[in-house]
Amino acid sequence: MTYTDPAAPETDPPAVDFPQRKPGVPFPPPDYADYRDRKGLVLSQLSDGKRVWLVTRHEDVRAVLTSPSISSNPEHKGFPNVGNLGVPKQDQIPGWFVGMDSPEHDRFRKALIPEFTVRRVRAMKPAIERTVDAQLDAMLAAGNTADLVADFALPIPSLVISALLGVPPADREFFESRTRVLVSLRSSTDDDRMAAAKDLLRYINRLVEIKQKWGGDDLITRLLATGAIAPHEMSGVLMLLLIAGHETTANNIALGVVTLLANPQWIGDDRAVEETLRFHSVADLVSLRVAVQDVEIAGQLIKAGEGIVPLVAAANHDENAFECPHAFDPSRSARHHVAFGYGVHQCLGQNLVRIEMEVAYRKLFERIPNLELAVPTDGLDIKYDGVLYGLNELPVRW
Amino acid sequence: MRITVDPDRCVGAGQCALNAPALFDQDDDGLVTLLTEPGADQYDKARLAGALCPSGAITVHEG
Ligand code: HEM
Ligand code: SF4
């Protein structure tokens, strides 16, 4: 017979390994389904020994991301550090507002919102189409094979963001080459990435100075004109836009192409964009949080100072939120997915990404209708290190 | 049905303007504005926008 001492302290559930992508294990990992079925939340441990709570149900992820007792600020004790996105000490750059809470955060967000409205990003569509066409021209001119990550998926978001920021055309190649180093985990070392980040910061600071003097029809000029953001905060804001929007978008473009080639009936249907975002959920480990007051989520008490990791890939494959979540089905209504997070930090660039992905798939399959993978699907070079899920390369031919 | 919007809470994610453009728009500051109260054929769209808004800036009053 078991005896429970009513005065004994509540025992924690046994801790599970921290989620890490591994060869041979599909993404999202089958463990997530098991975690969703458990009562309360799932306790895990980071490599530094810190306790963190994994949140896997759609409803609970939304609750965490809107709770006033839960913070995005990495300076709070207990904030989970799951590895870096490739850039050192990014959260220490002033203006890095994804790591701030309301109301401090809102000053930055409010100043930027007008740049990313549905109407504003739709107006950018013709320029995005020209960028995508130019990439395809270069690919087609070079032969009948390509690495779709290096030749297509990575340059598109970099060129789009550099146009938005007002990087002069002559500097875009420099800008693109430096941003590429930041996200190429395989071919660049930590030192390379540090050097590239420094180059970019220096460049961005110079660009801000130039815009202060001469101005132009671009985001930096307009942002300076609002007066809401101090010049010394601009580099953090601009680096955030660059980093938040580069690899995330590239990974979605590349993974989406693989999925469309496997499900060709959906090629040409723009609904594939939303379903790709949900299905792949590349930013699974991005929305990290820490409790700043004791708070209860899903009946589990989270104590102040404990880390929280809402797993958006788990939430986006929750049967209670999506029917047959493991099927790629663009005809479903996937709009309530949390691939862009939820709450006040929900992705600022989401409407821009939707257009970039839509144009990228449309143009790619229109101009290269006989595109095919040059490697078997089980031989794809998946990113196991790094925070974001994606591909290191994607060899294709036509 | 009646809708109220709270631009102070709005974070400009644009879910409303994207998914229910007949009912919602974003003003020059990128914040939500209600274009019109929903007709009976727009109730579903209004509920969708209310459910998608990440910041609780849209409230749908049923009935
Ligand atoms: C498919 C591509 C993308 C995905 C999956 C994605 C995902 C996300 C997620 C999950 C967050 C929330 C982070 C959190 O809760 O802490 C976020 C925030 C953010 N994203 Fe994106 N993102 C993408 C593309 C972009 C682009 C293209 C831009 C800009 C050009 C961008 C700019 C931002 C910014 C500025 C934030 C911080 C917003 C805030 O703190 O208020 N993202 N993104
Ligand atoms: S969905 Fe909500 S947060 Fe986004 S623009 Fe509309 S009201 Fe604002």
Side-chain angles (χ1 to χ4, degrees), chain A residues 97-98 105 109 116 161 240-241 244-245 248-249 252 277 282-283 286-287 289 339-341 344-349 352-353 356:
Chain A
F97 62 93
V98 70
H105 154 273
R109 174 106 187 184
F116 292 93
I161 196 78
L240 174 59
L241 292 182
T248 43
T249 308
N252 266 291
L277 289 161
V282 306
V286 166
S287 295
R289 299 294 189 266
F340 290 124
V344 299
H345 292 281
Q346 193 183 59
C347 184
L348 180 68
L352 179 59
V353 176
E356 285 183 67

Side-chain angles (χ1 to χ4, degrees), chain A residues 62 66 105 109-110 113-114 116-119 122 274 333 335-337 340 342-348 350-351 354, chain B residues 7-15 17-19 21 25-31 48 50-56:
Chain A
R62 280 184 160 197
T66 47
H105 154 273
R109 174 106 187 184
K110 291 243 148 99
I113 291 172
F116 292 93
T117 59
V118 173
R119 195 177 300 119
R122 283 210 179 119
E274 212 62 44
S333 168
R335 296 269 172 198
H336 55 297
H337 67 70
F340 290 124
Y342 197 65
V344 299
H345 292 281
Q346 193 183 59
C347 184
L348 180 68
Q350 57 180 288
N351 294 308
R354 289 188 171 103
Chain B
D8 283 340
R9 295 192 70 145
C10 174
V11 295
Q15 301 276 12
L18 188 69
N19 292 292
D25 197 0
Q26 292 173 279
D27 66 13
D28 288 344
D29 295 328
L31 302 178
L48 176 68
L52 291 180
C53 174
S55 66

Side-chain angles (χ1 to χ4, degrees), chain B:
Chain B
M1 176 186 287
R2 201 167 52 80
I3 303 177
T4 47
V5 297
D6 181 355
D8 283 340
R9 295 192 70 145
C10 174
V11 295
Q15 301 276 12
C16 53
L18 188 69
N19 292 292
L23 298 174
F24 304 94
D25 197 0
Q26 292 173 279
D27 66 13
D28 288 344
D29 295 328
L31 302 178
V32 60
T33 54
L34 183 63
L35 294 173
T36 168
E37 286 293 343
D41 56 335
Q42 293 169 311
Y43 285 1
D44 281 351
K45 284 281 185 198
R47 287 188 195 108
L48 176 68
L52 291 180
C53 174
S55 66
I58 296 173
T59 315
V60 176
H61 311 267
E62 299 280 350

Side-chain angles (χ1 to χ4, degrees), chain A residues 68-90:
Chain A
S69 306
I70 295 177
S71 165
S72 289
N73 190 334
E75 277 162 32
H76 283 299
K77 190 178 136 284
F79 190 88
N81 184 358
V82 304
N84 69 62
L85 276 166
V87 195
K89 300 210 172 88
Q90 46 188 238

Side-chain angles (χ1 to χ4, degrees), chain A residues 308-339:
Chain A
I308 309 172
V309 179
L311 298 165
V312 303
N316 283 340
H317 288 255
D318 181 345
E319 294 83 351
N320 288 321
F322 304 94
E323 215 172 291
C324 298
H326 304 301
F328 178 79
D329 177 9
S331 74
R332 76 167 80 239
S333 168
R335 296 269 172 198
H336 55 297
H337 67 70
V338 285

